[in-house]
């Protein structure tokens, strides 16, 4: 390892907390969600009311879901009002054509090995920002809206049914919404694979200790090593 | 100069049927054309689907003869996959089928057919006391007091006086073809309403086994309803007792209301013996006592009769490519190898191609294609199917119950067996058959109880439930005798999916347009030669067409 | 449409005195050959409310909605026909035929302009000028538009008229469409189900007759009184669902014990209907009660959510049948493979770059 020439405090505690709560919830929601769709285990023989073979899994799903929602809302708050340079979604402007310009293209080219220089960012690079936007922001929003709409089916006319129930006619039927929620669940493992790969790779290629940064908060700039 | 009259829409049937008839100068029907004017494409929609789902799709072909397509479909898939169903499942299916035929025939007689013979408005003039006397002379049915009929008559008057005649609006009341005295009309109206109330009870048997009616649930491999006399969540003694009561009540209703009414009404019309038609009759048979393949044990025998020859019943094999065929020479479809050559359903094609006039139109071009029905033929003969065909085939084969009942009805009406080849014969055969199937219901109830007593609770065979156990490519044939006649489903399963599904329906046989040789279908042929009193009021056409109990949603599917 | 005019009202509006009205009633009885004792009955009938005129049209359908309607145990169909509605036009029950029947339809449309209920069973064929469904020499599409124009409200019976039933399933060869796709300017009450439960059907009519208003509808246009909650919310097997006690094969011990049918593909958790509450045929049973999973027959497009015996619908993906999980696993696999490939290229590039550096050194 080369000498550390700079140490930057990138991920402040709220972002790190958000990150790990989010990671935990996503995994838990994916597992419990799939179990709800295809319950595997047989309870031992006995009276139905003794066992929670299904309701326990559903309960977990909903519990994690509400933590997930709160955490998500908190992150939105932090981005807007946190006054956190790297925690804002400041430079992210996908609706403006200029955003798709040079920095973005350079990053894409670099991932495609067309360009040998790796651009270096302290916060999110533009491709990562786009991935976060699509998978995490849009994906989570969809899971939350559809999930709350389905949750609201338990109590027609109640809060969730009034505020999120319109998702059902939008998707055509309750079944179609379940189906879409189920299908979209798969974006999370896909994201996880790409995300972990990107993180580890950047660590190896840029040597900025990104991996530990999401635990410690610090990114390091390391001096080029003489070979 | 011949004139052409059109009857469309035709109510008191299922679906959309249009009759165009050519009358001669003395208002006798010279020629008739039967057209089915709807098509939904169920055979096309089935392609590529899971064969275990097919029963639900085909069941929705018709809600009047609900269950029969589901039954033919599960039988067809089981035939293709080589599944033997448990004994209980066979008995339950037979019982549901007998229930269907009984209920369907009863509803047909009172609600779809009776108003062709019964003048509702004339009932207002009846003497209720006299009606009571007549009722008590023909039946032990308890609802027969003068007060009962008087009360009904008053309600009827209130109804007519309200000026809102509802379903009776603009009827052909007072038409000279109506022959019943007011008292008998009143009796018939009373039983119209009683039958309307009672028919809903009969179907509860299907609800117990299939969860609902119309459209009870079936299952490839058996039935989904569980049996266990010692559980509160399966068919147990409470469920069986309900079934038993319904069966008893049904037999009482048929014996004390339907059959006496049929004989009483027919007695006034035995001079009206039009509507015989083809004289060719076909039945696939049904109600297997063992396996379906063993058609020697069918309670309703299989066979064909040609040219009213009751001495010869010819063997029938619907799997034989040279026997059952469908052509489209006068139907709005095309075949890849020419429309005139009939195809066996295992090689069948369903490619719609409408060539009729653009709606709205006055007349169809009956020289060319004019119907959404294909034209089924048996060894190239147009055939009549349905209660009359089945009764005649059983009669010709010497079935003792049918021989006795037919003999009884004929002697009460003081007519010979030749009177059976008529509109009236068709209507009488339906009543005779209804009595028979009400009896079958008892028979199957007893069989079911006896089998449960042996400790056999199985209703489903799971051996071939999993598609990985299926052959890569297979074909199957499933059949039933539906209320309106012989129903066949032919399937080709390939790679676990439906590759081709062809359905040939009773009303397709009866209501088909003519074939490439110009031979008329059963409706068309039955209408020929019928004199009409007033072509503006086509009561005679309704009579004969209704005697077949048309189902056009079935016929075109 | 709530203010049902009686015949007495009509006479009064026309300036006819009470005396003349009574005279008219007795004349009517003479004309019909009835005894004078019938006159009070006639007066009574004429002073009663006019029954709501109903025109019931059939499109591409199977008539099972009509069949279900006549199975009603409360109210009975007789009570309905005699006391609540005047079923002026109906393919199943009407006595008359042909142009006489069409005349009845036109007369009701004229006499009760803006006051009659149009009940529709079935889909509308929209393809090829509607030639897949023609009635009385015209397309059902035209007849429907014509009859809807002056209706007070429309009842869409069954899955067909509400959402599009079996004929509307893929590939929908006739262009079958639900009523709400064709008629946009009338209140439409959707009463889905294949068929709907009889008491639900008659209940909708009786609600109107009794309360004088259309029932409250949910977001999909269904009466809340019958479609507010799912089969699953009131299913007697729900305790087994929560416990995780499932039927795993038809006719196993769990089936006889009445355990939950979720794993057999039950669509109860996503199906809005009254089956598990009021049940079928006078409360005799309902699909789940007789051991068969709910196939979701009151839900939009339920035919294309099959196979019926699995929870996850089959969908075409990469040219063959698949489902959400299969698609997901393939996508995850592709992501993993992509990452691995990218890692390999990175490693090769890095090694190359390293050796070049070495060469320079
Ligand atoms: C399901 C699991 C995970 C999800 C959904 C997830 C999601 C995210 C998100 C949304 C961010 C952006 C942070 C922000 O701006 O708020 C992020 C950043 C990061 N995550 Fe994760 N993460 C997951 C698991 C992990 C794991 C297991 C690691 C490490 C081993 C990790 C390492 C990082 C690092 C290093 C960053 C900062 C990278 C950068 O954007 O420059 N993540 N993650
Ligand atoms: C990462 C986020 C999430 C994932 C991966 C996820 C995954 C799943 C999956 C796979 C299912 C099974 C769907 C089926 O086949 O019927 C499911 C069901 C469900 N999810 Fe989620 N979910 C997530 C977030 C949420 C949220 C935020 C809520 C909000 C309350 C929620 C509420 C529900 C509900 C109500 C069900 C239906 C449960 C049932 O039918 O018993 N989910 N989820
Ligand atoms: N034709 C016909 Fe059916 C019958 N019976 C079916 O197979 O009526 Ni709807
Ligand atoms: S909704 Fe179903 S039951 Fe009703 S007409 Fe349509 S296919 Fe038949
Ligand atoms: S049987 Fe169906 S509706 Fe009933 S609890 Fe189970 S999943 Fe729900
Ligand atoms: S299949 Fe239909 S009848 Fe009821 S239980 Fe399900 S909605
Ligand atoms: Mg066919």
């Amino acid at each position: 390892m080369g000498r550390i020439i700079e140490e930057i405090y990138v991920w402040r505690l709220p972002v790190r907390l958000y990150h790990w709560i989010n990671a935990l919830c996503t995994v838990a929601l994916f597992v419990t969600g799939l179990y709800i769709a295809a319950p595997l285990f047989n309870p031992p023989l006995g009276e139905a009311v003794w066992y929670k073979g299904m309701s326990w899994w559903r309960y977990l799903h909903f519990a994690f879901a509400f933590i997930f929602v709160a955490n998500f809302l908190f992150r939105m708050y932090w981005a807007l009002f946190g006054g956190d340079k790297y925690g804002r979604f400041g430079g992210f402007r996908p609706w403006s054509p200029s955003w798709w310009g040079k920095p973005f293209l350079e990053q894409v080219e670099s991932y495609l090995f067309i360009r040998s220089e790796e651009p270096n960012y302290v916060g999110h690079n533009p491709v990562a920002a786009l991935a976060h936007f699509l998978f995490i922001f849009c994906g989570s929003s969809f899971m939350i809206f559809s999930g709350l709409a389905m949750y609201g089916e338990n109590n027609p006319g109640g809060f969730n049914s009034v505020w999120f129930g319109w998702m059902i006619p939008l998707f055509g039927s309750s079944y179609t919404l379940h189906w879409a929620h189920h299908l979209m669940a798969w974006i999370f493992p896909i994201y996880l694979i790409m995300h972990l790969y990107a993180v580890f790779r950047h660590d190896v290629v840029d040597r900025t200790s990104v991996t530990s940064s999401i635990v410690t908060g610090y990114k390091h700039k390391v001096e080029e090593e003489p070979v | 100069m011949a004139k052409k009259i059109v009857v469309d829409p035709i109510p008191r049937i299922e679906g959309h049927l249009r009759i165009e008839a050519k009358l001669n100068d003395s208002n006798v029907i010279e020629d008739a054309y039967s057209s089915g004017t709807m098509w939904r494409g169920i055979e096309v929609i089935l392609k590529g689907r899971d064969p275990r789902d097919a029963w639900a799709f085909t069941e929705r072909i018709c809600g009047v003869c609900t269950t029969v397509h589901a039954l033919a479909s599960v039988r067809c898939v089981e035939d293709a996959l080589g599944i033997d169903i448990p004994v209980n499942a066979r008995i339950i299916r037979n019982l549901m089928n007998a229930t269907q035929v009984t209920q369907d025939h009863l509803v047909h007689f009172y609600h779809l057919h009776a108003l062709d013979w019964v003048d509702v408005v004339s009932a207002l003039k009846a003497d209720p006391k006299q009606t009571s006397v007549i009722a008590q002379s023909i039946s032990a049915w308890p609802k027969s007091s003068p007060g009962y009929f008087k009360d009904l008559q008053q309600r009827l008057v209130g109804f007519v006086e309200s000026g809102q005649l509802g379903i009776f609006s603009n009827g052909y009341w007072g038409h000279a073809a109506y022959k019943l005295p007011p008292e008998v009309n009143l009796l018939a109206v009373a039983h119209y309403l009683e039958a309307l109330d009672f028919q809903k009870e009969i179907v509860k048997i299907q609800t117990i086994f299939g969860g609902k009616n119309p459209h009870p649930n079936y299952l490839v491999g058996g039935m989904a309803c569980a049996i266990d006399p010692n559980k509160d969540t399966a068919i147990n003694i409470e469920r069986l007792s309900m079934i038993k009561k319904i069966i008893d009540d049904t037999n009482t209703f048929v014996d004390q209301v339907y059959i006496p009414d049929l004989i009483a009404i027919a007695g006034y019309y035995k001079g009206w013996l039009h509507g015989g038609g083809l004289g060719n009759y076909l039945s696939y048979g049904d109600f297997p006592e063992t396996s379906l393949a063993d058609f020697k044990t069918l309670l309703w025998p299989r066979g064909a009769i040609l040219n009213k020859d009751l001495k010869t019943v010819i063997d029938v094999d619907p799997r034989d490519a040279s026997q059952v065929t469908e052509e489209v020479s006068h139907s709005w479809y095309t075949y890849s190898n020419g429309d005139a050559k009939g195809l066996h359903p295992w090689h069948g094609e369903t490619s719609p191609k409408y060539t009729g006039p653009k709606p709205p139109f006055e007349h169809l071009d009956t020289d060319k294609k004019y119907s959404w029905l294909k034209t089924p033929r048996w060894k190239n003969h147009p055939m009549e199917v349905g209660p009359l065909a089945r009764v005649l085939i059983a009669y010709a084969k010497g079935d003792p119950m049918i021989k006795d009942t037919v003999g009884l009805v004929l002697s009460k009406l003081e007519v010979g067996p030749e009177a059976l080849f008529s509109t009236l014969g068709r209507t009488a055969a339906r009543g005779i058959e209804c009595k028979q199937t009400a009896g079958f219901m008892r028979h199957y109830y007893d069989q079911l109880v006896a089998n449960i007593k042996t400790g056999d609770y199985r209703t489903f065979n799971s051996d071939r439930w999993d598609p990985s156990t299926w052959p890569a490519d297979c074909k199957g044939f499933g059949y039933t005798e539906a209320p309106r006649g012989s129903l066949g489903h032919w399937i080709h399963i390939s790679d676990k999916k439906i590759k081709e599904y062809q359905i040939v329906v009773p009303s397709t046989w009866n209501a088909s347009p003519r074939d490439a040789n110009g031979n008329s279908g059963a409706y068309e042929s039955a209408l020929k030669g019928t004199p009409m009193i007033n072509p503006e009021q086509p009561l005679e056409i309704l009579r004969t067409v209704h005697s077949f109990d048309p189902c056009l949603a079935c016929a075109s599917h | 449409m709530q203010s049902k005019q009686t015949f007495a009202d009509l006479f009064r509006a026309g300036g006819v005195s009470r005396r003349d009205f009574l005279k008219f009633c007795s004349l009517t009885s003479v004309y019909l050959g009835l005894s004078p004792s019938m006159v009070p009955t006639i007066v009574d009938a004429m002073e009663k409310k006019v029954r709501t005129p109903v025109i019931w049209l059939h499109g591409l359908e199977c008539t099972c909605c009509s069949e279900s309607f006549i199975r009603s145990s409360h109210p009975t169909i007789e009570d309905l026909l005699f006391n609540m509605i005047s079923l002026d036009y109906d393919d199943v029950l009407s006595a008359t035929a042909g142009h006489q029947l069409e005349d009845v339809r036109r007369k009701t449309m004229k006499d009760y302009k803006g006051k009659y209920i149009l009940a529709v069973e079935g889909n509308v064929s929209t393809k090829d000028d509607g030639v897949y469904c023609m009635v009385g020499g015209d397309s059902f599409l035209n007849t429907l538009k014509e009859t809807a124009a002056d209706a007070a409200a429309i009842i869409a019976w069954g899955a067909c008229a509400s959402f599009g039933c079996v004929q509307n399933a893929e590939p929908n060869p006739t262009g079958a469409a639900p009523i709400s796709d064709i008629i946009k300017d009338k209140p439409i009450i959707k009463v889905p189900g294949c068929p709907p439960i009889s008491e639900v059907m008659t209940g909708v009519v009786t609600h109107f007759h009794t309360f004088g208003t259309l029932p409250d509808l949910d977001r999909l246009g269904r009466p809340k009184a019958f479609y507010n909650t799912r089969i699953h919310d009131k299913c007697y097997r729900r305790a087994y669902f929560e416990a995780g006690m499932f039927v795993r094969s038809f006719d196993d011990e769990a089936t006889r014990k009445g355990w939950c049918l979720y794993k057999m593909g039950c669509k109860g958790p996503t199906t809005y209907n009254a089956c598990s509450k009021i049940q079928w045929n006078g409360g005799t049973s309902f699909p789940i009660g007789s051991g068969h999973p709910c196939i979701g027959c009151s839900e939009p497009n339920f035919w294309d959510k099959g196979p019926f015996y699995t929870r996850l619908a089959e969908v075409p993906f990469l040219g063959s049948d698949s489902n959400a999980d299969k698609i997901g696993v393939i996508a995850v696999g592709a992501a993993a493979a992509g990452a691995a490939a990218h890692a390999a290229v990175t490693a090769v590039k890095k090694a190359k770059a390293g050796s070049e550096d070495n060469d320079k050194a």
Side-chain angles (χ1 to χ4, degrees), chain C residues 80-226:
Chain C
L80 249 139
L81 294 182
F82 271 75
N83 303 322
M84 302 188 210
I85 61 169
S86 180
L87 188 55
D88 293 350
Y89 181 105
D90 176 30
D91 288 344
V92 177
L93 294 173
S94 278
T96 194
H99 64 86
Q100 284 96 350
L101 183 57
E102 290 299 287
D103 289 349
V104 174
R105 181 169 64 88
R106 300 223 164 81
K107 188 167 171 352
T108 298
M109 287 165 58
K110 196 164 129 274
D111 292 356
Y112 297 93
K113 195 174 158 120
K115 291 185 180 167
Y116 60 91
I117 298 275
L118 171 60
V120 190
E121 178 171 357
N123 273 145
V124 192
S125 159
T126 57
K127 221 169 108 182
D128 303 330
D129 302 313
V131 297
Y132 302 99
C133 188
M134 301 181 290
V135 190
D138 203 351
S139 69
F140 177 66
L141 179 65
N142 288 343
T143 311
L144 174 71
K145 286 183 188 160
E146 179 188 316
T147 317
D150 291 324
I154 298 178
I155 304 181
W157 290 134
C160 285
S162 300
F163 301 131
C165 199
V166 63
Q167 55 275 339
N168 160 287
E170 281 291 314
N172 189 359
T174 59
I179 307 309
S180 52
D181 280 12
I182 312 292
I183 310 295
K184 306 276 188 192
D185 57 349
K186 296 280 165 184
I188 299 181
I189 306 168
K190 295 183 175 175
V191 189
C194 189
I197 302 171
S198 46
E199 286 79 15
V200 167
M201 299 180 76
T202 54
V204 170
V205 177
T206 313
H207 179 109
F208 175 74
H209 178 79
T210 309
F211 300 117
T213 57
L214 299 180
D216 276 2
L217 307 180
D218 71 2
R219 280 193 175 94
L220 285 169
R222 306 169 289 202
K224 285 185 183 166
F226 305 109

Side-chain angles (χ1 to χ4, degrees), chain B residues 8-9 11-12 14 16 37 49 63 155 161-162 164 167 199 207-208 212-213 233 239 361 459 497 536, chain C residues 7 32 51 58 62-63 70-71 78 91 95-96 98 100 132 134 136-137 194 251 256 281 284 290 304 321:
Chain B
D8 179 13
R12 287 183 282 125
E14 198 298 332
H16 302 298
T37 56
R49 298 190 187 256
R155 276 192 295 147
E161 293 301 299
S162 75
Q164 290 184 294
I167 55 173
Q199 51 83 25
T207 313
I208 289 172
K212 69 200 263 254
N213 172 284
T233 44
R239 299 271 93 180
F361 54 79
T459 55
K497 299 279 178 230
E536 267 300 289
Chain C
F7 282 93
L32 279 153
R51 287 172 290 135
H58 292 241
C62 79
T63 308
I70 66 170
R71 308 277 194 271
E78 186 192 325
D91 288 344
T96 194
Q100 284 96 350
Y132 302 99
M134 301 181 290
C194 189
D251 210 26
R256 289 181 206 118
N281 305 96
T284 301
S290 294
D304 291 328
D321 284 322

Side-chain angles (χ1 to χ4, degrees), chain B residues 409-480:
Chain B
V409 171
L410 292 180
S411 73
K412 283 216 176 187
L413 292 174
E414 296 164 339
V415 291
E418 67 290 343
L420 287 169
F421 303 108
S422 68
T423 290
L424 210 59
R426 219 168 273 124
T427 300
R430 189 170 288 107
I432 291 166
E433 194 171 85
C434 187
K435 183 173 163 54
Q436 188 190 23
T437 51
F440 285 179
M441 289 164 75
R442 279 218 168 100
H443 171 68
Y444 292 125
Y445 174 82
D446 293 344
Q447 272 193 358
L448 184 62
V449 170
N451 195 54
I452 295 174
K453 265 193 196 161
T454 67
D456 176 9
Y457 303 158
R458 284 183 71 224
T459 55
F460 172 70
N461 173 356
S462 62
D463 293 352
R464 294 279 164 84
W465 181 251
D466 185 347
S468 65
T469 62
W470 299 353
D473 193 273
C474 53
K475 287 183 170 181
F477 165 61
Y479 66 94
T480 175

